[in-house]
Amino acid sequence: MAQITFLSLLFLTFNAIAIAKTTPLSSSSTTTNINKTYNNFIKTSCNNTTYPTVCLTSLLPYSTVVKLNRLRLVKKALSVTLKYASATQSTISNLAKAKNISKGNAAVLKDCIEDIQDSIGEIKDSLNAISSLKSSKNKKFVISNAQTWTSAAITDEYSCTDGISDEDVSPAVKKKIRNGILRVARMSSNALYLLNHLKY
C-alpha cells in the first residue's frame, strides 16, 4: 500500500512538472497569435493611407494598445502625430537660437515655428474632439470638426515647407526643417485618411 502511494505521488509530481512546463508555452503561443492579429489590423488599416510606410512605422508599435478598435487607431494616429510635431517644433526652435544663424534664416525659422505651433493646436483640437466622440450625441458633427482641424494642420505644415523653398535658406537648415515637417505632414495626412474612413 505504501509502495502504491509513493508511486502515485511520484506520478503526480512528474505530471505537475510537465503541466507547469507546457502551460507557459501554450500561453505564449496564444499571445503571439493575438499580437499577430493586432499587427495585421494595423497593416491592413495602413495599406490604403496616403503614406503606408509612414503609417506602419508610426502605428505598429502601438498595435497591442489599438487592438482591433478603429477609434483607438485614429486617436493613436493623432496623438503620435502630435508628439512628433512637438519634437519637430523643438528642433526648429533650437536651430533658430543658434549663434551662427543668419537673420534671413532666423526669420524663415520664426515663420515656420508659428506654422507648426498652429498645426499643433489644430491636431490637439482634433484629438480632443475624437476623444469626446463616444459621449457625443452628434457623432457626424464631431468627426467633421476633427477632419477640418486635421486638414488645417496639414495646410500649416506645408506652409512651412513652402516658406523655406521660396526663401534663400542654407541647404543644411532647409534639410533639417524639411525632413521633420514632411514627416509630420505625412503623419497628419494618414490620420486624416483614417478619420475619413471612421464609421460611427
Side-chain angles (χ1 to χ4, degrees), residues 79-147:
S79 64
V80 170
T81 302
L82 181 60
K83 183 178 178 181
Y84 200 90
S86 298
T88 301
Q89 182 192 6
S90 296
T91 300
I92 297 171
S93 296
N94 289 334
L95 285 172
K97 294 173 185 175
K99 292 180 180 179
N100 59 343
I101 193 167
S102 68
K103 288 184 178 181
N105 282 352
V108 172
L109 290 176
K110 183 183 176 184
D111 290 340
C112 192
I113 290 169
E114 290 176 359
D115 289 331
I116 197 69
Q117 282 176 338
D118 289 341
S119 170
I120 287 170
E122 287 148 357
I123 295 169
K124 281 182 180 178
D125 288 338
S126 182
L127 183 57
N128 288 337
I130 287 300
S131 296
S132 69
L133 186 62
K134 279 188 176 181
S135 60
S136 174
K137 292 181 180 179
N138 193 341
K139 291 177 172 46
K140 286 186 178 179
F141 179 73
V142 171
I143 293 174
S144 177
N145 281 342
Q147 290 168 331

Side-chain angles (χ1 to χ4, degrees), residues 7-78:
L7 289 173
S8 298
L9 287 171
L10 194 62
F11 172 76
L12 290 171
T13 301
F14 279 117
N15 193 39
I17 292 171
I19 292 171
K21 285 183 176 180
T22 56
T23 299
L25 289 175
S26 177
S27 176
S28 175
S29 177
T30 302
T31 302
T32 300
N33 289 335
I34 290 171
N35 287 342
K36 280 183 180 178
T37 301
Y38 294 159
N39 286 347
N40 286 336
F41 174 71
I42 298 289
K43 290 175 183 178
T44 302
S45 300
C46 285
N47 275 345
N48 294 320
T49 58
T50 318
Y51 304 99
T53 303
V54 173
C55 180
L56 197 60
T57 55
S58 61
L59 293 178
L60 195 58
Y62 304 97
S63 61
T64 55
V65 176
V66 171
K67 296 183 179 179
L68 304 176
N69 189 303
R70 293 199 176 276
L71 180 57
R72 284 184 195 168
L73 179 64
V74 171
K75 287 168 69 175
K76 185 53 68 176
L78 288 168

Side-chain angles (χ1 to χ4, degrees), residues 51 77-78 80-86 88-89 92 108 111-124 126 148-165 177-192:
Y51 304 99
L78 288 168
V80 170
T81 302
L82 181 60
K83 183 178 178 181
Y84 200 90
S86 298
T88 301
Q89 182 192 6
I92 297 171
V108 172
D111 290 340
C112 192
I113 290 169
E114 290 176 359
D115 289 331
I116 197 69
Q117 282 176 338
D118 289 341
S119 170
I120 287 170
E122 287 148 357
I123 295 169
K124 281 182 180 178
S126 182
T148 299
W149 282 316
T150 306
S151 181
I154 295 168
T155 299
D156 283 322
E157 289 151 10
Y158 280 114
S159 290
C160 172
T161 58
D162 289 343
I164 63 171
S165 296
I177 297 176
R178 189 173 180 81
N179 287 347
I181 294 294
L182 282 180
R183 175 79 177 186
V184 175
R186 287 168 181 172
M187 291 171 74
S188 298
S189 295
N190 288 338
L192 181 59

Side-chain angles (χ1 to χ4, degrees), residues 70 133 143 194-200:
R70 293 199 176 276
L133 186 62
I143 293 174
L194 296 172
L195 259 172
N196 290 342
H197 291 81
L198 180 63
K199 306 297 181 184
Y200 228 88

